[in-house]
Amino acid sequence: MTGNQSIRGSVDKIDPDQLTIVPLRHPWRWVAVALVLVSVAAMIRSAISNPEFQWPIVAQYLFNPLILDGLWKTLLITVVVMILATLGGTFAALMMLSPSKLLSVPAAVFVWFFRGTPALVQLIIWYNLSIVVKDFTLWLPGIGTLYSVSTNDIMTPLVSAIVALSLHESGYMAEIVRSGLRSVNKGQYEASACLGMKPSLALRRIVLPQAMRIIIPPTGNETINLLKTTSLVSIIAVGDLLYSAQSIYARTFETIPLLLVVSFWYLAVVSIMSVGQFYLERHFSRDEHRNNIGLTKAILGNLAKIGRKEALA
Amino acid sequence: MTAPRTHHSRFGIASTTMVHAKGIRKSYGHLEVLKGVDLTVPSGSVACIIGPSGSGKSTFLRCINHLEEINAGLMLVDGDFVGYRLEGNKLYELPPSAICQRRAEIGMVFQQFNLFPHMTVLENLIEAPVRVKREPVAQATAKAIDLLQRVGLAEKRDSYPRQLSGGQQQRVAIARALAMNPKVLLFDEPTSALDPELVGEVLEVMKSLAREGITMVVVTHEIGFAREVADQLVFMDGGVVVESGNPREMIANPQSPRTREFLARVL
């Protein structure tokens, strides 16, 4: 304040070319950086020196056939559930957007129910379906029973897991697809109608590709979330990644190393998925960037930006 | 471009009449927006509809290609219904797939352009000819490049809409409508969303289309364009056609006081 006032009279005498502009310094940021570095070093030291981590055992089980078999099952459940949930969610979203209350209300109730109850609870309910429904029967009036099968024969642990998680995930996907479809301007529907496009063609060629930009990022998150949620199926004895590890350490008591193996695989799959998500997002926003940059450049570019900022501080 | 045909359709209206509207009524809830609109647009002619905002002129335009369903009246394009099927004395609304076939013959240009943002200019132009009319891609592409040359944007074929100015986007939108070889082109305030210095380039394209004899119905605020290009000027206010006729005579000597008042405000 006082400094500025004293200048007022002598502004004419200052040569702007002779002035140096000093950016704001952030000394506390360097203190924070030091603290973070020390903690990271301590963690790495502990991980290396503490024998309880049993790294040789981790390495030994990393490619164990039982573990790989569990990983395969985890991936299978994730992929099948995500496909079913995307189909179910899109269907529910289209129903919710229908002008007819007879379609939109049931869809909203479906979403409300399956999004509102915990995945674990739904999993156990479907696993125990035979308590409520003894068998599935196709019965036609006048003809009688055509086909009948016991519930326990159909609802194996794997099928129960897929049904339960698909319905649960459909609820989330419905909301994601709905917000994507609503994000597309009404004029796009009208323009495609005026060019003679049927509603189904307009949806496929004009509306969905634009909605994808809104739909893909949260769907990527959902897929990553689902991959980890599938570990719940170990509770109904589906031999997924976690269940396989549990069955080994129940015998050998090498609990921590096996859970590290499990974490390694989950992290590896999530990393691969993130790369896939990056390319999908880029594909659907290709009109926004004339020169698309690659993944490594995107990561390195961000690091360089952070580095430059820190160096200035 | 469209050679006038002289045979009479089954409704007894000469098909040299491209748009025939009679007693069109349209309400949103209790609000009646169109209160019995009559309009006849001969083949190869240009009709310009002017009027204050809220007069129902855009709504009427959207009734022509059934973007809005009408509550009463008769709307024929090239001697046939767009959104309905006549049986006895009842008009049955058609399913969307059937309406689409008729709509493909009626081009429309919007105030907000409504280009497909995820497609290049060329893809915008060939999408409907290829997917709706099943034209071979090579043929549709050749025609699209030809149309882009006509609107002066041949070098923009691989650009995305967001890389173009408003005037360029609107010229692409006109080319996209023309790619379907429409019998009639509807314009809904095509220059209202443009910066003033970009209006001219769009009007130039529209003038050249009028000279080629394309049937056009234009809702506009550009009185100068209407005076120069229109064969028929239509003034709408309060959901009815107040006055229509030769644009020069009407602008020089409006008969209705409402027309006179409106023209005094916009000229």
Side-chain angles (χ1 to χ4, degrees):
Chain A
M1 200 69 185
T2 50
N4 285 347
Q5 272 169 354
S6 65
I7 283 174
R8 200 171 279 164
S10 55
V11 168
D12 297 342
K13 291 171 206 151
I14 299 172
D15 175 6
D17 292 335
Q18 296 298 315
L19 286 175
T20 316
I21 291 168
V22 183
L24 179 63
R25 305 284 165 169
H26 302 278
W28 286 106
R29 206 176 274 175
W30 288 109
V31 176
V33 169
L35 277 175
V36 169
L37 285 179
V38 168
S39 336
V40 170
M43 272 190 270
I44 292 174
R45 188 182 160 275
S46 144
I48 294 171
S49 61
N50 187 333
E52 287 308 316
F53 279 103
Q54 303 182 66
W55 291 105
I57 307 242
V58 173
Q60 183 194 321
Y61 278 110
L62 209 50
F63 295 98
N64 179 294
L66 202 58
I67 292 288
L68 291 184
D69 194 51
L71 174 65
W72 161 245
K73 211 156 242 167
T74 291
L75 289 175
L76 178 80
I77 296 172
T78 306
V79 169
V80 170
V81 167
M82 208 57 210
I83 290 172
L84 292 175
T86 306
L87 292 174
T90 307
F91 197 68
L94 290 172
M95 280 174 73
M96 279 197 284
L97 291 173
S98 160
S100 164
K101 285 261 181 294
L102 287 175
L103 290 175
S104 64
V105 169
V109 170
F110 169 85
V111 170
W112 169 76
F113 182 82
F114 284 102
R115 222 169 42 140
T117 47
L120 185 55
V121 174
Q122 290 181 37
L123 210 54
I124 301 172
I125 289 178
W126 282 99
Y127 184 57
N128 290 301
L129 189 69
S130 60
I131 298 171
V132 194
V133 182
K134 302 286 181 224
D135 43 26
F136 288 97
T137 303
L138 181 63
W139 181 88
L140 289 176
I143 300 172
T145 304
L146 289 173
Y147 179 76
S148 182
V149 65
S150 144
T151 301
N152 275 334
D153 288 348
I154 305 181
M155 295 307 275
T156 62
L158 184 64
V159 172
S160 311
I162 288 175
V163 169
L165 291 179
S166 297
L167 288 169
H168 182 70
E169 200 57 39
S170 291
Y172 284 97
M173 285 308 294
E175 284 297 296
I176 291 173
V177 174
R178 188 176 69 109
S179 66
L181 290 176
R182 281 178 59 105
S183 75
V184 179
N185 192 301
K186 191 168 145 264
Q188 295 288 313
Y189 292 89
E190 290 185 347
S192 26
C194 286
L195 288 165
M197 299 173 84
K198 288 180 194 170
S200 56
L201 182 65
L203 185 72
R204 189 159 52 83
R205 294 285 306 171
I206 307 300
V207 177
L208 270 182
Q210 293 182 60
M212 277 307 191
R213 225 179 288 183
I214 305 293
I215 291 174
I216 284 182
T219 303
N221 289 342
E222 274 307 313
T223 314
I224 286 169
N225 229 335
L226 174 66
L227 176 79
K228 294 174 294 167
T229 308
T230 56
S231 62
L232 293 179
V233 304
S234 58
I235 217 149
I236 57 170
V238 177
D240 77 320
L241 183 55
L242 179 59
Y243 188 83
S244 306
Q246 284 173 329
S247 65
I248 297 172
Y249 70 65
R251 216 170 51 231
T252 66
F253 298 105
E254 292 154 330
T255 311
I256 294 296
L258 274 153
L259 288 178
L260 286 173
V261 168
V262 168
S263 305
F264 169 86
W265 281 118
Y266 279 120
L267 273 173
V269 177
V270 167
S271 306
I272 294 168
M273 280 179 178
S274 307
V275 173
Q277 187 181 350
F278 173 85
Y279 283 105
L280 262 182
E281 280 178 29
R282 201 181 70 168
H283 173 78
F284 281 104
S285 59
R286 60 192 181 282
D287 60 301
E288 282 176 28
H289 329 277
R290 213 177 296 207
N291 303 314
N292 273 330
I293 50 165
L295 177 69
T296 40
K297 226 177 164 185
I299 295 171
L300 292 177
N302 274 335
L303 285 177
K305 231 185 277 167
I306 296 166
R308 234 175 293 130
K309 257 195 193 156
E310 294 302 317
L312 275 175
Chain B
M1 200 165 181
T2 41
R5 283 171 296 158
T6 43
H7 72 267
H8 287 251
S9 75
R10 61 192 165 117
F11 302 110
I13 296 153
S15 0
T16 47
T17 301
M18 185 51 74
V19 178
H20 185 90
K22 212 172 153 192
I24 302 296
R25 287 179 179 276
K26 167 77 188 170
S27 308
Y28 295 107
H30 293 296
L31 181 71
E32 194 169 38
V33 190
L34 299 178
K35 300 169 181 166
V37 177
D38 299 330
L39 180 73
T40 306
V41 183
S43 260
S45 77
V46 177
C48 282
I49 306 176
I50 57 171
S53 54
S55 60
K57 53 192 194 307
S58 279
T59 306
F60 173 71
L61 193 77
R62 292 160 60 84
C63 288
I64 297 179
N65 63 355
H66 201 70
L67 277 185
E68 307 281 350
E69 62 263 40
I70 56 177
N71 300 117
L74 193 67
M75 178 72 85
L76 301 174
V77 175
D78 198 24
D80 209 347
F81 296 100
V82 178
Y84 301 94
R85 177 171 51 85
L86 183 73
E87 225 169 83
N89 60 351
K90 282 191 176 135
L91 286 177
Y92 294 92
E93 191 175 6
L94 291 170
S97 53
I99 297 175
C100 280
Q101 286 182 352
R102 298 265 15 232
R103 274 209 198 106
E105 305 171 336
I106 308 170
M108 186 152 188
V109 175
F110 300 87
Q111 186 178 350
Q112 300 294 342
F113 328 134
N114 292 343
L115 292 177
F116 304 135
H118 59 301
M119 294 180 174
T120 65
V121 165
L122 187 66
E123 286 166 348
N124 263 278
L125 261 67
I126 66 171
E127 177 68 17
V130 171
R131 302 269 165 188
V132 177
K133 288 175 113 184
R134 306 265 165 221
E135 282 179 22
V137 174
Q139 184 192 325
T141 305
K143 193 175 66 183
I145 291 170
D146 192 44
L147 284 167
L148 284 175
Q149 263 157 5
R150 269 169 70 186
V151 299
L153 289 170
E155 79 283 7
K156 298 288 185 192
R157 50 177 282 185
D158 295 321
S159 302
Y160 285 98
R162 74 171 67 227
Q163 296 161 345
L164 305 179
S165 74
Q168 291 172 331
Q169 289 193 48
Q170 194 60 299
R171 285 187 280 156
V172 171
I174 293 173
R176 179 176 71 176
L178 287 172
M180 292 295 280
N181 292 326
K183 292 175 175 171
V184 52
L185 263 183
L186 312 178
F187 291 84
D188 188 5
E189 303 197 19
T191 57
S192 298
L194 297 177
D195 291 337
E197 80 271 20
L198 303 176
V199 169
E201 62 188 65
V202 172
L203 293 182
E204 260 333 295
V205 169
M206 291 170 64
K207 279 178 203 168
S208 74
L209 297 180
R211 278 194 295 273
E212 286 169 37
I214 293 176
T215 314
M216 299 175 16
V217 183
V218 186
V219 169
T220 186
H221 294 295
E222 300 288 334
I223 305 291
F225 170 81
R227 177 164 43 195
E228 190 184 334
V229 176
D231 299 295
Q232 180 185 192
L233 185 63
V234 181
F235 173 66
M236 279 182 71
D237 193 12
V240 292
V241 172
V242 176
E243 190 173 347
S244 81
N246 178 294
R248 283 190 179 85
E249 286 167 21
M250 213 170 117
I251 291 167
N253 185 21
Q255 299 299 309
S256 151
R258 279 151 88 189
T259 316
R260 206 171 304 139
E261 191 193 325
F262 175 76
L263 287 173
R265 259 186 293 135
V266 296
L267 280 175

